Amino acid sequence: MSNENFYNEISNAIVKLDEDKATEYANKAINENLNLIEVVEKGFALGIRTIGELWEEGEYFLPELMRGAQIMQNCLDLLIPHLQTASEQISRGKVVIATIEGDIHSIGKTIVATMLRAYGYEVYDLGADVPVEKIVEEAIEKEADIIGVSALLTTTMTGQKKVIEFLHEKNIANKFKVILGGAPVTKTWVEDCKADGFAENAIDAVKLVKSLLGK
Ligand code: B12
């Protein structure tokens, strides 16, 4: 089976909510030493996004969306330890990352955190539904170089802007670079927020952090 076909099979397993098959494919990808980030982005993520479309079209309902996310998360739990094999002894920089308050979508943020760790960054993942103040507090305490804020809902995106406004209010905006992410985030939104950048996937997130820190 070609890689592209394998990614499609993974995506289909997620869309069909077939946990046994999805788990089998995750293990196969690990055992066969495939490029796991491609497996995640082109297989599993494609599947969960397709579920999102089916939900929007009224073909799937909330229980299916939740089940799909659960299966995806279980597979990520298998894959993540194998993604995090990079040089843990050197830290290229510190990143505090969170999904903003009011938003429980965590899958994409977790993948970004995992990839950054794999590339040697020290990542503090605060989880999902995290208040603006808490994100900034942790960034100060951890002496972060970068603050990453994820938002998947148009209603919670405003929280991303609030992080930057709060940094300005506290007169510490120059201490951190702020990067944004999540499906609804666009270049225009990033400019509007006066953020330092955004990335559409985990690979681009690594490139972005690298370019902002120069290492
Ligand atoms: C899975 C899912 C859920 C799961 C989340 C489980 C979890 N633990 O994360 C559950 C079932 C819980 C859920 C709940 C809801 N969901 Co939902 N969900 C999705 C779905 C299908 C996929 C999201 C996902 O995981 N994608 C896969 C990952 C890999 O992609 P990603 O998140 O985009 O992340 C990538 C990039 O964006 C980027 N990135 C992400 N974060 C960051 C951060 C930084 C710093 C950087 C640089 C990059 C970056 O890199 C990531 C890796 O490639 C989306 C559809 C979609 N197309 O996004 C809807 C979607 C986001 N959900 C939606 C909605 C409406 C809801 C609910 C309100 C439903 C309800 N009525 O209860 C609730 C929200 C509750 C809340 N308060 O948060 C809508 C949002 C509509 C809108 N425009 O606001 C969407 C778009 C579905 C739709 N088509 O309508 N959802």
Side-chain angles (χ1 to χ4, degrees):
M1 200 190 306
S2 74
N3 280 353
E4 295 307 320
N5 283 345
F6 183 52
Y7 301 148
N8 282 335
E9 288 292 318
I10 294 173
S11 171
N12 286 340
I14 294 288
V15 174
K16 287 184 189 149
L17 307 174
D18 186 340
E19 181 155 25
D20 291 344
K21 269 264 172 305
T23 310
E24 182 192 319
Y25 292 148
N27 283 321
K28 182 174 151 84
I30 295 165
N31 294 336
E32 294 184 7
N33 271 326
L34 299 185
N35 179 336
L36 295 185
I37 191 62
E38 282 209 351
V39 166
V40 169
E41 293 278 11
K42 296 186 176 173
F44 289 97
L46 174 66
I48 194 72
R49 287 183 185 131
T50 307
I51 288 185
E53 283 163 22
L54 290 170
W55 182 67
E56 211 170 1
E57 289 161 12
E59 298 270 329
Y60 271 16
F61 297 95
L62 199 55
E64 279 111 347
L65 187 66
M66 291 176 73
R67 181 83 189 109
Q70 187 59 53
I71 297 172
M72 165 111 188
Q73 189 59 56
N74 292 347
C75 291
L76 279 182
D77 289 346
L78 289 174
L79 294 160
I80 281 175
H82 299 271
L83 275 162
Q84 276 170 206
T85 48
S87 43
E88 271 154 29
Q89 60 281 46
I90 51 148
S91 168
R92 292 178 191 277
K94 292 185 196 171
V95 182
V96 161
I97 192 166
T99 304
I100 197 68
E101 186 165 22
D103 196 326
I104 60 169
H105 294 88
S106 59
I107 293 173
K109 180 265 308 153
T110 305
I111 297 174
V112 171
T114 305
M115 277 309 280
L116 288 171
R117 280 196 192 109
Y119 277 84
Y121 297 97
E122 202 175 320
V123 181
Y124 298 91
D125 183 347
L126 310 183
D129 190 14
V130 186
V132 171
E133 297 76 12
K134 173 80 179 159
I135 296 174
V136 171
E137 208 175 278
E138 288 289 324
I140 296 169
E141 197 194 306
K142 302 293 189 294
E143 298 182 329
D145 303 293
I146 304 244
I147 300 176
V149 192
S150 184
L152 265 285
L153 298 170
T154 40
T155 48
T156 57
M157 283 168 82
T158 47
Q160 296 180 313
K161 197 175 191 178
K162 282 188 195 147
V163 171
I164 295 164
E165 287 170 352
F166 191 63
L167 289 170
H168 281 286
E169 264 169 44
K170 296 198 107 190
N171 262 326
I172 49 172
N174 59 346
K175 286 194 189 304
F176 309 98
K177 302 274 185 210
V178 181
I179 61 171
L180 309 180
V185 175
T186 59
K187 194 165 171 272
T188 318
W189 175 242
V190 172
E191 284 165 5
D192 189 14
C193 292
K194 300 191 175 59
D196 295 286
F198 84 116
E200 285 180 359
N201 57 55
I203 298 281
D204 287 350
V206 171
K207 287 185 193 152
L208 174 64
V209 168
K210 238 184 208 170
S211 77
L212 288 173
L213 297 182
K215 56 185 172 174

